[in-house]
Amino acid sequence: MSEGADLVANSAAPLVADDENYDSGIDNPSLASSTQSLTESVLSHVYENGRRYHSKSVGRYFLPTDEQEQDRLDMYHHFMLELLGGKISLAPFDRDPGFVLDCGTGTGIWALDYAEQHPASVVYGIDMAPIQPSYVYPNVRFEIDDLELDWTFRDKFDLIYARLMSTGIKDWPRFFQQMYDFMNPGGYVELSEHDLNGVRSDDGTMPSDTAYNRYLTLLTKCMASNGLNPYLTLTDYTRMLTSAGFEITKTLEFKIPMGGWPKGKKAKYLGLLYAEMSKTGFDAYGKSLLVKEGGLTVEEADQLIRECVELLGERKQHVYYYKWHIVARKPE
């Protein structure tokens, strides 16, 4: 069976709800991350609505950088490992690639795991916020930078990995072109993104006014007003990669259940993981934008976020969203 077979083998097949009672049995791990020794200006933060945001990212990246968000990002890394059958990467190397770039490395957990599994590789993790650990493997380099500026790396890469960049990249064609220009022939780009165009249901249990889509409609409108493109599809990403010169070698489309409602051990576990992450995720993605750009009061934003979180626990709306994983290759 392929990676995530019960979710991706036929993404057109409906997810079936499990009517039996269940106990999630999921712990909420907290993987602590300390910051690097950097200048005071790089480390400065602002606080609003009870969350901490990195001051250098204001206006460019709208999610917080506090410990609560770092825990969610680390849990998302576990979620991705579960989704891909324990594989940290699907790029088909027969040896350790020389230089690897992790775009938007966040807490640095992917870069650290990849470096541990590939000791002959040198892994660069780039992010705008300094939330990576100080003590790392000797083959890991963390740097603070904006990937939408001109790239100035001295090395060219054999693997460039990027996931969840839709909240930070405004010019995707340029982003992919810089990937191509800074990649060795035969190298791979690996992209993981999710559909923000709305959630779906296969069995009619989702009402037209569901809180999920009320939240998403307002969130994506706010993102678009800030120069982002939250309406991209799998076809859009593959088209832009191809236009940059890459050859698409693998595309996977997953149905990700929102909550532990589906049948099937893997689908249920991923849904439960999603629900656990979303206890803080709806707030992380939306609170700042809904209040500052969406015209909601803090109380109205809190109410909408609370409705979404409560729906996850009720299991009455059998909803899911699409997640895409793309591997592309630079020709020899």
Side-chain angles (χ1 to χ4, degrees), residues 55-157:
S55 59
K56 295 292 185 180
S57 303
V58 172
R60 285 283 292 105
Y61 181 73
F62 303 96
L63 276 71
T65 57
D66 50 25
E67 292 295 328
Q68 188 179 63
E69 175 65 1
Q70 292 176 44
D71 289 345
R72 187 185 72 85
L73 293 175
D74 286 343
M75 181 175 280
Y76 184 81
H77 180 67
H78 171 67
F79 171 89
M80 284 299 300
L81 290 175
E82 289 292 325
L83 182 64
L84 299 181
K87 295 181 179 179
I88 195 169
S89 169
L90 301 185
F93 290 103
D94 55 9
R95 56 177 175 77
D96 288 355
F99 291 96
V100 178
L101 175 62
D102 180 18
C103 300
T105 192
T107 65
I109 190 170
W110 184 91
L112 291 168
D113 275 6
Y114 195 91
E116 182 181 26
Q117 295 179 25
H118 301 83
S121 301
V122 176
V123 184
Y124 286 86
I126 308 298
D127 204 281
M128 295 177 65
I131 58 174
Q132 301 78 40
S134 300
Y135 300 98
V136 300
Y137 301 116
N139 58 331
V140 175
R141 312 280 187 271
F142 288 132
E143 297 180 4
I144 306 305
D145 208 343
D146 184 347
L147 288 165
E148 289 215 295
L149 301 178
D150 289 339
W151 290 14
T152 58
F153 300 109
R154 290 176 297 177
D155 302 304
K156 288 197 173 184
F157 300 98

Side-chain angles (χ1 to χ4, degrees), residues 116-267:
E116 182 181 26
Q117 295 179 25
H118 301 83
S121 301
V122 176
V123 184
Y124 286 86
I126 308 298
D127 204 281
M128 295 177 65
I131 58 174
Q132 301 78 40
S134 300
Y135 300 98
V136 300
Y137 301 116
N139 58 331
V140 175
R141 312 280 187 271
F142 288 132
E143 297 180 4
I144 306 305
D145 208 343
D146 184 347
L147 288 165
E148 289 215 295
L149 301 178
D150 289 339
W151 290 14
T152 58
F153 300 109
R154 290 176 297 177
D155 302 304
K156 288 197 173 184
F157 300 98
D158 300 292
L159 172 63
I160 299 179
Y161 184 84
R163 70 185 183 199
L164 298 184
M165 298 294 286
S166 60
T167 53
I169 297 297
K170 295 182 179 180
D171 190 345
W172 283 96
R174 183 171 185 266
F175 183 53
F176 289 145
Q177 190 60 57
Q178 295 209 89
M179 286 185 178
Y180 188 90
D181 293 342
F182 279 82
M183 181 173 288
N184 287 318
Y188 288 89
V189 57
E190 192 164 358
L191 180 71
S192 180
E193 290 295 335
H194 54 276
D195 187 7
L196 293 174
N197 291 290
V199 301
R200 297 167 170 82
S201 175
D202 292 333
D203 61 6
T205 56
M206 183 187 75
S208 59
D209 64 344
T210 178
Y212 294 132
N213 279 336
R214 284 190 281 119
Y215 171 93
L216 268 179
T217 297
L218 190 54
L219 175 66
T220 52
K221 181 179 179 181
C222 294
M223 291 173 65
S225 69
N226 281 277
L228 299 166
N229 188 348
Y231 309 115
L232 294 172
T233 65
L234 175 61
T235 300
D236 293 324
Y237 286 117
T238 56
R239 172 181 50 79
M240 289 186 291
L241 283 165
T242 301
S243 295
F246 291 104
E247 300 171 343
I248 305 300
T249 63
K250 183 186 289 288
T251 57
L252 300 176
E253 183 173 72
F254 301 90
K255 286 182 176 180
I256 304 300
M258 296 170 64
W261 56 265
K263 289 184 177 180
K265 182 178 179 180
K266 181 166 184 172

Side-chain angles (χ1 to χ4, degrees), residues 3-7 82-85 264-271:
E3 301 88 356
D6 59 334
L7 296 177
E82 289 292 325
L83 182 64
L84 299 181
K265 182 178 179 180
K266 181 166 184 172
K268 182 183 291 295
Y269 183 64
L270 288 170

Side-chain angles (χ1 to χ4, degrees), residues 14-51:
L15 287 175
V16 180
D18 185 357
D19 296 327
E20 297 181 5
N21 292 327
Y22 71 98
D23 178 13
S24 70
I26 291 181
D27 296 324
N28 188 358
S30 175
L31 305 179
S33 299
S34 59
T35 55
Q36 303 177 56
S37 297
L38 299 168
T39 64
E40 183 177 350
S41 63
V42 172
L43 290 173
S44 63
H45 295 88
V46 296
Y47 296 83
E48 61 181 38
N49 303 317
R51 303 301 300 267

